[in-house]
Amino acid sequence: MIRWRRGTVTGLRRRWRGAVELDVAVEPRRPGDPAGVRALAYPVLVGEPEVGDRVLLNLNALALGLGTGGYALVVALPDRLPADADRPGHVVKARYTPLQAVVLAADEDDSPHRAVLASADSVDGMPVVIADLHSALPAVIAGVHADRPDARIGYVMTDGGALPAWFSRTLDALADRLAGVVTAGQAFGGDLEASNVHTGLLAARHVLRADVAVVAQGPGNLGTGTPWGFSGVAVGEAVNAVAALSGRPVGSLRISAADPRARHYGVSHHSLTAYGRVALAPADLVVPAGVDPALGVDTALEPLRHRHRVVTVPLDGLDDALRALPVKLSTMGRDLDADHTYFLAAAAAGRHAASLLRAAGPST
């Protein structure tokens, strides 16, 4: 299940919040092993690596050629272990794995936010944009801020993709555009920790004081190519959570004119299944104005209209907002120009959420 290797750090590369890239010389165990690899370490978990350190590596992501996770991952610095963490917290994430981490949940006894979250039962009509992929997050933010640059946006990261928020360079680049990150479920490493999406949403509203929240998994995506075998089914469950907490669910549709796979061309089956079969509460499903009729979006969404409200949103100014982002947009290896419709659809969902603020008012 794990491709273990030993190696030695030969160089330090980029670093961003919570993560550092390394060059590592690998001790081969079998023919064809690479002589050197690019590795990623999370210093909070394993300590600060230095040139010359011996490291224990997990090579699974490299061996599988994962597009979003093509790193060897540092499991330990066996000769220089970090000191024991002396900080409050009793909630365990990545439970019963070798690197299970103890964190302070926003609503547990030792948290300064315990009192407010213990009594919180609603997000007070807050618009919540729900997206399938992490790559939609910057586009949603661009859409919100195109019309409401003052809006506070909280990101609730679910555990369908990467578990450490530190893996995301997007979050590092967008730190000044977010009120904060809440890592929910088994995900960890955010500004706040939550046990599930419900408490994550409450923390976003009442601790981060978000006007708008975005719910999406971390980088990466699990999928088997079968009708139900994908992590994005959690999108429908997030709709239900938002509704249960008296929020306003806004569905960011995964629409592509560039994906070569039939199941993701036009409206992805991920969106159709999550909103059509899993979501039991109504949401606003956002369609970008002027979408190519050949994509069959209206036809694909017709069976969903009995439960959801399909909203068409104008796109004026959104392309400029996307290009002004401080992060390079990419989804499934395609940039903004290669999959323009996908990013415009996410930005349109953000714009719609911003329009709902005019009625609901900002957080207080």
Side-chain angles (χ1 to χ4, degrees):
M1 294 178 68
I2 297 178
R3 291 171 172 83
W4 294 99
R5 296 293 185 275
R6 294 184 179 91
T8 301
V9 178
T10 59
L12 304 179
R13 298 167 64 101
R14 296 177 298 178
R15 65 184 306 140
W16 56 92
R17 182 179 178 184
V20 57
E21 280 185 347
L22 314 170
D23 290 320
V24 178
V26 177
E27 298 176 16
R29 293 183 64 190
R30 56 193 297 180
D33 271 359
V37 298
R38 184 179 59 156
L40 193 70
Y42 302 121
V44 171
L45 296 183
V46 303
E48 282 285 352
E50 298 176 359
V51 172
D53 279 341
R54 289 197 317 128
V55 292
L56 187 62
L57 301 173
N58 179 332
L59 259 60
N60 277 356
L62 276 177
L64 293 174
L66 300 181
T68 54
Y71 289 102
L73 293 174
V74 175
V75 180
L77 310 177
D79 299 329
R80 200 163 52 81
L81 299 176
D84 291 345
D86 185 18
R87 48 176 75 115
H90 298 85
V91 169
V92 181
K93 302 274 187 111
R95 292 185 281 276
Y96 293 97
T97 66
L99 288 179
Q100 60 183 354
V102 179
V103 301
L104 176 67
D107 58 344
E108 67 173 297
D109 286 339
D110 291 333
S111 169
H113 313 300
R114 165 74 174 192
V116 66
L117 291 176
S119 60
D121 192 46
S122 168
V123 295
D124 309 321
M126 178 176 66
V128 180
V129 182
I130 302 154
D132 181 15
L133 301 176
H134 190 71
S135 57
L137 174 64
V140 172
I141 292 171
V144 173
H145 283 161
D147 293 350
R148 288 292 300 267
D150 59 330
R152 293 178 58 82
I153 303 174
Y155 171 46
V156 179
M157 182 178 129
T158 61
D159 53 17
L163 296 185
W166 309 311
F167 185 76
S168 175
R169 282 177 286 171
T170 295
L171 292 181
D172 184 62
L174 295 175
D176 63 346
R177 303 194 181 205
L178 286 168
V181 176
V182 186
T183 34
Q186 295 287 333
F188 57 92
D191 300 293
L192 298 171
E193 301 285 355
S195 303
N196 52 52
V197 172
H198 296 74
T199 55
L201 288 166
L202 290 169
R205 180 62 174 177
H206 297 287
V207 179
L208 298 180
R209 308 188 75 78
D211 303 311
V212 177
V214 183
V215 176
Q217 64 186 337
N221 184 49
L222 175 65
T224 62
T226 59
W228 288 95
F230 61 97
S231 52
V233 295
V235 164
E237 296 164 353
V239 170
N240 299 334
V242 175
L245 294 173
S246 303
R248 184 73 180 267
V250 175
S252 176
L253 294 169
R254 183 174 169 182
I255 305 174
S256 177
D259 201 306
R261 299 166 293 179
R263 66 185 185 275
H264 294 305
Y265 185 78
V267 184
S268 168
H269 85 96
H270 285 195
S271 290
L272 297 176
T273 301
Y275 295 119
R277 302 286 300 279
V278 182
L280 302 179
D284 293 353
L285 304 184
V286 178
V287 176
V291 68
D292 186 350
L295 295 179
V297 172
D298 287 342
T299 301
L301 295 179
E302 189 59 38
L304 279 62
R305 291 177 182 270
H306 73 284
R307 178 176 305 141
H308 303 295
R309 187 166 73 103
V310 177
V311 182
T312 301
V313 171
L315 301 179
D316 51 295
L318 290 187
D319 179 75
D320 289 341
L322 290 169
R323 295 185 190 279
L325 285 166
V327 61
K328 180 182 178 182
L329 296 173
S330 178
T331 185
M332 301 296 166
R334 298 184 296 272
D335 64 12
L336 173 59
D337 291 316
D339 209 343
H340 203 219
T341 301
Y342 169 81
F343 292 108
L344 284 174
R351 166 166 279 173
H352 181 63
S355 75
L356 298 177
L357 290 178
R358 299 187 181 98
S363 62
T364 57

